[in-house]
Amino acid sequence: MKPAKSYILNIKPYVPGKPIGEVKRELKLTSVIKLASNENPYPVSPKVRAAIVKAASQVTRYPDGGCFILRSALAKFLKVQENQLIFGNGSDEVIVLAVKAFVGEGDEVIIAKPSFLIYEIASRIAGAKIHDVPLKNFCYDLPAMKAKLSKRTKLVFIGNPDNPSGKFINTKEAEDFMKAVSPDTLVFFDEAYFEYVNAKDYPDTLKLMKKYPNLMVTRTFSKMYGLAGLRIGYGIASPEIIDILNRLREPFNVNSLAQAAAVAALADQPYYRRLAKDIEAQRRYLYSSLKDLGFKYEDSFTNFILIQVANASQVAAGLLKKGVIIRDMTGWGLPDYIRVSIGTASENKKFIKSLEEL
Amino acid sequence: MKPAKSYILNIKPYVPGKPIGEVKRELKLTSVIKLASNENPYPVSPKVRAAIVKAASQVTRYPDGGCFILRSALAKFLKVQENQLIFGNGSDEVIVLAVKAFVGEGDEVIIAKPSFLIYEIASRIAGAKIHDVPLKNFCYDLPAMKAKLSKRTKLVFIGNPDNPSGKFINTKEAEDFMKAVSPDTLVFFDEAYFEYVNAKDYPDTLKLMKKYPNLMVTRTFSKMYGLAGLRIGYGIASPEIIDILNRLREPFNVNSLAQAAAVAALADQPYYRRLAKDIEAQRRYLYSSLKDLGFKYEDSFTNFILIQVANASQVAAGLLKKGVIIRDMTGWGLPDYIRVSIGTASENKKFIKSLEEL
């Protein structure tokens, strides 16, 4: 059996961070903390947990393929129309749908490097020609990205804030970029970490979308809302773009417990506001501890920090032995950086202590 | 924004059965039963429910992208190697992955008509040329399907048992068909209703796969195991085919509660054996009641029955007003058939009573 396209055999699957259970098994450790996948380190909101338990009796039935209740709640919350929303099995599914919809074989896609790996994997699967544009001081090099725009450019990915840099392009930069892009090119703002950003010049892309209908945004319940395990994210775009994506979507792509949990999470804003403040405080703690230890790091607007080390693979292996899982950035082309997700106060202390011991 | 392929705009999205909540809202009914989506009508197994509740505290973490625990349990249960399995967000995702992997634009796909609509939708999305082969007395017309085989045939779908007919191709037919097919053509056995079949001549496709590595099988936890709402199905094939599909899979496509629930379901075989027997008994009850009322129906090896009526749309609308949701087969090219999922004893009684009243 040969695949339809020979390039499929060249696609390297995404390598996820190791689950805690697997690390415990492998290293025979009893206490392991995971600061590798930018997860929310706090317990599930009690209201969300109650919604999951309540919905557990309904799993024999197919989910609502239209996400009726969640759609209505989210449209109100975001002040958009219901037909401007599409839900995905994680926002990565919405990324894949957008590529499938708008990028054909040989079409061009512009991606910053390094950035979230799924942009590249999804584009490769579509057979796209990828223009990688290196970051400049860990920020998007927008002039260089503009220089790559052509008639064949079908999609530009902007992780905002981006992963692994933790930085964002601001309102003026976003607007200037949209002006330079053809209305036939989709500009895809991945705002997975949106809820963690506390900055006045962060762009209001939903407002910008009214002026530029070729702008699309994704957000997720996996990060601040802590529903990574349940897989639910969403896209916001013009009704025309959403209609096209819906034709490619599997009818029951979002499970019913994810829908119930997301509705409960949206309604529990006070819990998440406290949590985002805690993460901010913990980020300051990590900054000052890293400074004390003499480490250079990148200022971040998210729940993770890129930290410069002598040899990322060695540091990652050393921390792993101490039961601390972080992300070695070697595979992303940054052999002297690790990416550390911000954990709870005690997790962060353990990380700093382990780093000091190394 | 124009889609990459103009044919995307011609794809009609799958129209799912209406959720009970929506029907209640629309018709202002308090009691509604749904016999439309071939779901398991019984309560969730208490062990499965407990596994979901236990795993609910873990949803902040990404799921295990490799489905380590479930993979190990299922490989043992099926007596296959772990690398012969791929898990999907429902088995429909595995169908989509197989099409994406092996069918390019202009390649040919053979599908019985009518059959499960996702085969056609997934093939259209891939830009395939589809050969529809009409059923003959509601059975697969295998000689006609063989006659459509060509060098460009990349995939043949065999729903076994098929939806909506409820019938299967037997061991001899399956083997004869495999002999006629080129080793470059994937023969895809969709065995979503496998667990309901009680027939000696039902083919052992896992055995047949050893002889014909171009045979692939999907099964699901959505039907007998009653996890439709959680979205989990799986494919079984050669390690080579699984490796190709894995390259196209999103890394966290199966949520963690689905994994936990599926492990618990597999371990709770006595519960499901009882349940499958109940469905068989209820099928006999429906057969005899339909005979008494003078209805013609198709013998089924699944948890649904195709029933001939004068006008399916009228009957479906009439039943809906009485709070009974069934499937009108008009959209499948069968304007004088309805498809009714086998419910609990009281649900089936209500259906028969409502049908009689009409």
Side-chain angles (χ1 to χ4, degrees), chain B residues 143-280:
Chain B
M145 289 176 86
K146 279 182 201 168
K148 293 287 183 193
L149 289 166
S150 84
K151 276 193 179 169
R152 294 226 65 179
T153 310
K154 291 298 163 72
L155 217 162
V156 182
F157 280 109
I158 299 184
N160 213 40
D162 205 19
N163 173 9
S165 73
K167 310 209 182 291
F168 65 89
I169 74 168
N170 66 27
T171 305
K172 191 178 173 307
E173 289 167 328
E175 191 136 15
D176 284 353
F177 191 78
M178 289 311 302
K179 271 183 206 156
V181 172
S182 148
D184 298 333
T185 300
L186 184 67
V187 183
F188 192 105
F189 281 79
D190 176 351
E191 299 183 346
Y193 300 94
F194 158 80
E195 290 88 353
Y196 285 119
V197 182
N198 185 1
K200 277 187 188 156
D201 57 344
Y202 181 75
D204 179 349
T205 43
L206 301 193
K207 195 174 150 195
L208 210 53
M209 192 182 290
K210 288 175 191 162
K211 200 164 163 190
Y212 300 99
N214 57 324
L215 187 158
M216 151 152 211
V217 175
T218 47
R219 292 181 188 163
T220 184
F221 285 94
S222 295
K223 302 298 180 185
M224 186 191 74
Y225 288 112
L227 302 182
L230 273 173
R231 316 305 301 124
I232 177 157
Y234 57 97
I236 317 159
S238 70
E240 292 72 23
I241 289 177
I242 297 297
D243 172 66
I244 293 171
L245 298 190
N246 257 326
R247 289 166 194 269
L248 302 174
R249 178 174 69 82
E250 288 153 48
F252 303 111
N253 61 329
V254 180
N255 73 80
S256 51
L257 298 194
Q259 293 183 39
V263 169
L266 265 187
D268 199 9
Q269 292 299 322
Y271 180 87
Y272 295 102
R273 269 198 297 274
R274 271 199 312 278
L275 185 152
K277 282 205 168 175
D278 281 355
I279 290 289
E280 235 182 290

Side-chain angles (χ1 to χ4, degrees), chain A residues 89-138:
Chain A
N89 188 36
S91 59
D92 56 345
E93 190 189 29
V94 184
I95 294 170
V96 169
L97 286 174
V99 171
K100 217 167 165 181
F102 296 109
V103 182
E105 223 173 314
D107 285 341
E108 298 180 9
V109 173
I110 300 176
I111 305 176
K113 187 154 192 153
S115 185
F116 184 43
L117 297 176
I118 298 290
Y119 307 152
E120 189 182 324
I121 296 173
S123 302
R124 286 214 188 286
I125 289 174
K129 187 179 167 197
I130 296 167
H131 291 292
D132 284 326
V133 179
L135 297 180
K136 211 172 164 179
N137 302 320
F138 286 103

Side-chain angles (χ1 to χ4, degrees), chain A residues 182-201:
Chain A
S182 148
D184 299 332
T185 301
L186 185 67
V187 183
F188 192 107
F189 280 80
D190 177 352
E191 299 183 347
Y193 299 95
F194 156 81
E195 289 88 353
Y196 285 119
V197 183
N198 185 359
K200 276 189 188 154
D201 56 345

Side-chain angles (χ1 to χ4, degrees), chain B residues 216-340:
Chain B
M216 151 152 211
V217 175
T218 47
R219 292 181 188 163
T220 184
F221 285 94
S222 295
K223 302 298 180 185
M224 186 191 74
Y225 288 112
L227 302 182
L230 273 173
R231 316 305 301 124
I232 177 157
Y234 57 97
I236 317 159
S238 70
E240 292 72 23
I241 289 177
I242 297 297
D243 172 66
I244 293 171
L245 298 190
N246 257 326
R247 289 166 194 269
L248 302 174
R249 178 174 69 82
E250 288 153 48
F252 303 111
N253 61 329
V254 180
N255 73 80
S256 51
L257 298 194
Q259 293 183 39
V263 169
L266 265 187
D268 199 9
Q269 292 299 322
Y271 180 87
Y272 295 102
R273 269 198 297 274
R274 271 199 312 278
L275 185 152
K277 282 205 168 175
D278 281 355
I279 290 289
E280 235 182 290
Q282 287 301 313
R283 195 164 57 204
R284 284 193 300 271
Y285 161 75
L286 284 170
Y287 283 173
S288 77
S289 307
L290 289 166
K291 257 181 214 156
D292 290 349
L293 294 177
F295 281 98
K296 205 185 147 239
Y297 58 84
E298 289 301 318
D299 277 325
S300 169
F301 293 84
T302 65
N303 69 332
F304 56 83
I305 307 175
L306 210 48
I307 303 167
Q308 203 175 13
V309 293
N311 181 322
S313 300
Q314 268 181 22
V315 171
L319 288 171
L320 191 63
K321 276 186 196 150
K322 294 175 182 291
V324 179
I325 318 176
I326 51 90
R327 196 63 79 100
D328 168 10
M329 289 284 108
T330 305
W332 305 44
L334 299 171
D336 47 353
Y337 279 89
I338 57 172
R339 193 195 65 196
V340 178

Side-chain angles (χ1 to χ4, degrees), chain A residues 143-157:
Chain A
M145 290 176 87
K146 279 183 202 167
K148 293 288 182 195
L149 290 167
S150 84
K151 275 192 181 172
R152 294 227 63 179
T153 310
K154 290 299 162 70
L155 216 161
V156 182
F157 279 109

